[in-house]
Amino acid sequence: MSINNFSKVVVVAKDEWRYWLRSKLAMTVLAIGLLLTLSSVVVTAITMHELSHDRHELQSNAVQSFVDQPDRHPHRMVHYGHYAFRTPSPLSTLDPGIDAYTGNSIFLEGHRQNSAMFADQRQGTALTKLGSLTPAFIVQTLAPLLLILIGYSSISRERESQTLSYLLAQGTSGITLIAGKGLALLSVVGLIIAPLAVSALFTVSSGESLLAVASFVVGYALYLTVWVLLILLASSVFSKNSGSFTALAFVWILLCIVMPRVASTTASTAVPSAGKIETDFAVKAELRKLGDGHNTNDPAFKQFKQSLLEKYNVNSIDELPVNFRGLVASESEAKQAKVLNQFAQQRMQAELKQTQVSRYFGWVSPMVAIRSLSMIVVGTSIETHHRFLRETEQLRFDFVQGLNKIHIEELDYKDDMNRNADAAATKKARVSAENWQILQDFNFNVDSADVRAQRSVPAFLQLLLWIVVLVGGIKFVGKRLI
């Protein structure tokens, strides 16, 4: 573009702004958009900061509560359990992602893999499930509507007022006119994204990477650019403002409301997964085959018992230098964990496949593309949640087996078998509370910025394809603008 043409583009953009400044509707819409974005950024940032502080404190309290337990039987502590909390990622102040649905803490205990708890949406009312006013929700869903209200008449207004032919006759090409209107709308996009960008930059002081922040801001800029191009195309194609607005309103409903639901429904249909009740019954059926780890006489441990007798070269379990009940508990936990992990892996693979299917809809809906991109870059996607589940399961297994090791080495087998004889026997079948210092520090962090950026590449490509196609359409229409 030559300097002369660029100056004409700037003149058109300035003229558009003058029109908006005279228009109460445009200024009201712009003010509402900025107010919503700013307020949501502030409120969400405060909320996530409080959540982060609370979860750190709860994690510390959970550890302290565990180590403060008195002398007990080791297996009592296996069932007393422990909590693991997931602290929010720095950028989750802007997009909580699936964390609001999946939960943020897990109760860890022997023989079971519990689900994450305390999901915000599960605790909310039906109205809150329609969509919280987070910065991500506002920019993804409401900002396009605000842009439509401001810019739907950009070109069609000139045609209706019969100034379009005059502008074209004065030497302003259709492409230049559209570019000028587009520049004005892009400046509005800049105003909407500014609070988001500033908030994202503040997360760097909390340990977030500049690469993640840049990816986040650029992704939303591309998304809103798609809507600017859609608005310009519709306003150029339709001869009346009413036609342009109706078409854009329909497109907004289709792309922002309908398509995300279609994507999730299609994903659940294309990749069916077993329900919780069905899975629980299947898990219990498999666990029964492994035997009862609380019963040393269970036939399932007959071969294990014989191998121990041969290993230590003794004739009975009473002669073993270690506690047989503790060994059975440890062996049983290892086998149960293997089965539980198999079912958990199957569930996570199904969830990941469903997510991938829904992400394909980003090629037909920019809303799906930006939603995927945002959660991935922020670190609140399904991949991050699955890693949280795997790390907490490893924490659970290690602490349970640590207690089983204490059971094996610190508690005499005969005292263990006679623990229910009387009060004195019960007291004798306990170990010192000093043994509870076995918990590992748990600090969950999101994936590195490089990993998140790599995962977000398909979503970036989807948005770029939208832009390329729309620019091509605008060029085609612009050359024939009358």
Side-chain angles (χ1 to χ4, degrees):
M1 180 182 291
S2 66
I3 297 177
N4 184 43
N5 284 337
F6 181 73
S7 63
K8 288 182 179 180
V9 168
V10 173
V11 169
V12 172
K14 288 180 178 179
D15 184 68
E16 190 71 4
W17 264 103
R18 279 192 291 269
Y19 171 78
W20 290 338
L21 291 172
R22 294 193 303 266
S23 170
K24 292 181 180 180
L25 175 62
M27 286 298 98
T28 302
V29 169
L30 186 57
I32 290 173
L34 291 175
L35 183 62
L36 281 174
T37 306
L38 281 169
S39 58
S40 67
V41 165
V42 173
V43 171
T44 308
I46 293 173
T47 302
M48 298 308 290
H49 176 74
E50 291 176 350
L51 282 176
S52 180
H53 178 269
D54 290 346
R55 291 179 197 175
H56 275 297
E57 187 175 353
L58 287 169
Q59 187 70 71
S60 177
N61 291 343
V63 173
Q64 195 61 45
S65 177
F66 187 89
V67 300
D68 284 347
Q69 292 303 301
D71 297 353
R72 290 183 186 273
H73 190 285
H75 203 72
R76 289 281 302 277
M77 294 302 291
V78 168
H79 289 284
Y80 180 82
H82 178 48
Y83 281 93
F85 291 87
R86 175 183 174 181
T87 54
S89 64
L91 273 174
S92 64
T93 56
L94 302 175
D95 186 0
I98 67 168
D99 288 2
Y101 301 88
T102 57
N104 51 61
S105 65
I106 295 182
F107 179 59
L108 311 175
E109 61 178 327
H111 325 314
R112 295 185 64 183
Q113 283 185 2
N114 294 312
S115 302
M117 303 180 295
F118 305 126
D120 294 339
Q121 292 295 340
R122 292 179 189 173
Q123 300 176 75
T125 64
L127 289 176
T128 63
K129 296 180 182 180
L130 294 176
S132 302
L133 284 178
T134 62
F137 174 79
I138 288 173
V139 179
Q140 291 173 11
T141 307
L142 299 184
L145 183 59
L146 298 177
L147 286 172
I148 289 172
L149 291 172
I150 292 174
Y152 74 93
S153 64
S154 296
I155 307 297
S156 57
R157 181 183 73 248
E158 305 288 356
R159 188 182 284 112
E160 272 195 348
S161 61
Q162 297 182 352
T163 56
L164 178 59
S165 56
Y166 174 77
L167 289 170
L168 295 176
Q170 292 295 318
T172 302
S173 67
I175 297 295
T176 301
L177 181 62
I178 295 174
K181 304 285 188 176
L183 181 60
L185 284 171
L186 286 175
S187 64
V188 175
V189 168
L191 291 174
I192 294 173
I193 287 183
L196 210 65
V198 172
S199 301
L201 284 172
F202 273 116
T203 64
V204 175
S205 62
S206 302
E208 188 55 88
S209 165
L210 278 173
L211 175 61
V213 170
S215 300
F216 181 81
V217 175
V218 170
Y220 275 96
L222 292 175
Y223 172 67
L224 293 182
T225 299
V226 169
W227 278 102
V228 167
L229 296 174
L230 277 170
I231 292 167
L232 293 172
L233 182 61
S235 189
S236 301
V237 169
F238 289 91
S239 58
K240 293 185 178 181
N241 292 337
S242 58
S244 173
F245 180 77
T246 302
L248 287 169
F250 174 79
V251 170
W252 177 79
I253 293 172
L254 179 65
L255 298 184
C256 291
I257 307 299
V258 176
M259 290 308 297
R261 272 72 178 173
V262 171
S264 59
T265 302
T266 303
S268 343
T269 305
V271 186
S273 59
K276 187 178 186 304
I277 296 178
E278 181 183 349
T279 302
D280 288 346
F281 276 117
V283 170
K284 287 182 179 180
E286 289 297 319
L287 292 180
R288 286 197 198 99
K289 299 176 184 177
L290 303 179
D292 182 5
H294 299 92
N295 180 13
T296 56
N297 294 318
D298 193 301
F301 301 107
K302 183 177 181 181
Q303 186 176 355
F304 177 65
K305 175 182 175 181
Q306 189 60 39
S307 66
L308 286 174
L309 296 177
E310 294 175 0
K311 177 182 178 180
Y312 289 98
N313 194 26
V314 294
N315 296 319
S316 68
I317 56 176
D318 294 330
E319 299 175 14
L320 288 171
V322 290
N323 191 323
F324 179 62
R325 290 189 76 243
L327 287 169
V328 170
S330 179
E331 176 72 6
S332 174
E333 189 66 41
K335 289 182 177 180
Q336 287 178 344
K338 186 176 180 180
V339 171
L340 292 172
N341 286 337
Q342 288 174 349
F343 277 92
Q345 189 61 31
Q346 290 174 7
R347 185 192 71 250
M348 286 189 280
Q349 286 178 351
E351 289 175 349
L352 191 57
K353 287 180 180 178
Q354 288 178 343
T355 302
Q356 290 169 344
V357 169
S358 67
R359 286 174 182 170
Y360 289 144
F361 280 78
W363 299 109
V364 294
S365 171
M367 169 70 169
V368 176
I370 189 58
R371 189 173 63 177
S372 301
L373 186 152
S374 182
M375 289 192 291
I376 290 171
V377 170
V378 167
T380 54
S381 64
I382 191 70
E383 290 90 347
T384 306
H385 176 64
H386 285 169
R387 191 165 64 81
F388 172 66
L389 295 179
R390 291 188 182 100
E391 290 189 14
T392 52
E393 168 54 21
Q394 188 61 51
L395 178 69
R396 183 200 73 85
F397 183 75
D398 289 344
F399 112 82
V400 170
Q401 291 296 64
L403 289 170
N404 286 333
K405 184 179 180 182
I406 294 170
H407 192 172
I408 294 168
E409 298 176 353
E410 302 294 331
L411 187 60
D412 182 75
Y413 175 69
K414 292 180 180 178
D415 293 338
D416 196 9
M417 292 300 291
N418 296 325
R419 65 190 181 281
N420 296 322
D422 52 42
T426 300
K427 188 174 181 180
K428 196 173 182 181
R430 295 174 179 173
V431 298
S432 171
E434 295 177 355
N435 290 288
W436 310 150
Q437 305 284 342
I438 62 169
L439 295 178
Q440 302 174 11
D441 291 335
F442 182 73
N443 293 303
F444 181 81
N445 296 309
V446 297
D447 295 304
S448 68
D450 291 339
V451 171
R452 286 179 278 160
Q454 185 177 1
R455 285 180 186 157
S456 65
V457 168
F460 271 110
L461 292 177
Q462 289 170 344
L463 291 174
L464 288 172
L465 179 64
W466 269 91
I467 290 174
V468 169
V469 171
L470 289 171
V471 167
I474 288 173
K475 282 185 176 181
F476 177 80
V477 172
K479 291 178 180 178
R480 294 160 177 77
L481 196 63
I482 54 173

